[in-house]
Amino acid sequence: MCVTQFIGVVKQNLSVKKAIKLHGSDADTAIQDELQRVHAKKTWTPKHRLDLTHEKRKAIIRSSMFLREKYFASGPYEKLKARIGAGGDQQDRQLYDDLSSPTVATPCVMVVAAIAAHEGRSVITIDIGGAYLNATMPTGVKVHMKLDKQLAVILVAMLPEYAKFVDGRGQITTLLNKCLYGCIGAALQWYKDMKGTLLGDKFVENPYDMCVFNKLEDTGRQCTATIHVDDLKVTSVNEKMLEAMADLLRKAYKEIKVHKGKLHDYLG
């Protein structure tokens, strides 16, 4: 029987300065890992600020880096995670037709867990690292974002090629190619990307919840996946279907973590 725990843990966002003070080298490592991930996924293209028109310079949005102490649902401390986000509140909302993005409803999560228990299905949970960074910005939308002096110093130390883009304020201006966290429509673009990946593998969207997908084998055995942003729960009586799902996501998104067993932490 699969047991999914829902135990609330208070999460606190830490500034870069505070995280370094509290966690030292662990904070440095988390920050560098996040910047390296963003760079590797070609999330942005650095630009010379003075090459932009006056109107584009006025529209540059801010960025911010925060760190979070992550805990297992059962309570113990897991790790420190850094994330850089965009100041989406400074974007022009009139450029977007749709801003909302679905996530699986909690009752549906419970129903899928109940079906898994009743049918004796195996369960895996999958976490996709840097999920939004796999989704491209909406067509026709150009967003410029600045990295503050503190982040610019760290980035240049890691990747010296950015040095020539540091402006007189010590900042770096970028053009966003991917949907950085915080951007308007980022969650929706990511959902569309994930949905396309699943539909391309013959999954079918559930008519009652657009974040539940099912796939049937010729033998009638079913694989069910629920999506909550970058966290998936996948169930099937056929272990090979679970392995195939993990392989599909690994091929599409590279950076995934697959959790197996009878006890799973899902949605906190």
Side-chain angles (χ1 to χ4, degrees), residues 13-204:
N13 290 338
L14 304 173
S15 66
V16 171
K17 184 177 180 180
K18 187 172 183 179
I20 292 176
K21 181 179 179 179
L22 292 176
H23 294 276
S25 60
D26 284 348
D28 291 331
T29 299
I31 293 166
Q32 292 173 21
D33 286 348
E34 173 67 356
L35 289 175
Q36 186 60 54
R37 175 188 290 118
V38 169
H39 173 76
K41 289 184 176 290
K42 300 180 180 179
T43 304
W44 56 47
T45 301
K47 296 290 183 179
H48 292 288
R49 184 175 179 274
L50 294 180
D51 288 346
L52 304 181
T53 64
H54 176 67
E55 289 302 314
K56 288 181 178 178
R57 289 200 298 269
K58 284 176 59 179
I60 295 174
I61 65 174
R62 65 177 175 273
S63 65
S64 59
M65 173 79 79
F66 64 88
L67 293 91
R68 175 173 291 179
E69 298 167 336
K70 294 196 69 177
Y71 295 84
F72 292 105
S74 54
Y77 174 78
E78 180 184 2
K79 63 180 180 180
L80 191 67
K81 183 175 182 179
R83 177 171 291 174
I84 184 169
D89 58 308
Q90 296 180 307
Q91 288 180 254
D92 185 356
R93 291 178 174 269
Q94 296 181 358
L95 298 176
Y96 301 83
D97 297 326
D98 191 1
L99 299 177
S100 60
S101 178
T103 55
V104 65
T106 300
C108 291
V109 174
M110 298 301 190
V111 169
V112 170
I115 292 173
H118 178 71
E119 296 183 355
R121 296 188 182 195
S122 296
V123 178
I124 61 173
T125 48
I126 302 174
D127 174 54
I128 300 176
Y132 286 12
L133 304 183
N134 294 291
T136 57
M137 293 290 286
T139 303
V141 175
K142 291 188 179 297
V143 178
H144 290 88
M145 183 189 77
K146 62 185 178 183
L147 304 175
D148 64 26
K149 186 175 181 179
Q150 186 176 34
L151 287 181
V153 168
I154 297 172
L155 188 58
V156 169
M158 292 172 52
L159 302 164
E161 61 264 36
Y162 279 89
K164 62 183 179 181
F165 296 99
V166 178
D167 61 26
R169 304 175 182 179
Q171 301 175 342
I172 296 176
T173 299
T174 65
L175 172 65
L176 294 181
N177 306 316
K178 300 291 184 67
C179 292
L180 197 65
Y181 292 95
C183 285
I184 289 178
L188 180 59
Q189 289 297 108
W190 160 244
Y191 168 77
K192 289 179 178 179
D193 192 280
M194 170 59 74
K195 177 179 177 178
T197 297
L198 296 181
L199 294 182
D201 196 54
K202 299 182 179 180
F203 277 84
V204 177

Side-chain angles (χ1 to χ4, degrees), residues 223-257:
C223 181
T224 300
T226 65
I227 302 174
H228 190 282
V229 192
D230 55 357
D231 292 313
L232 287 83
K233 181 168 72 172
V234 190
T235 72
S236 179
V237 295
N238 186 353
E239 293 278 356
K240 290 184 178 180
M241 294 190 81
L242 297 181
E243 293 173 5
M245 179 62 155
D247 289 341
L248 170 70
L249 297 180
R250 190 174 290 110
K251 182 178 180 180
Y253 304 116
K254 306 298 187 293
E255 190 181 344
I256 73 168
K257 291 182 180 179

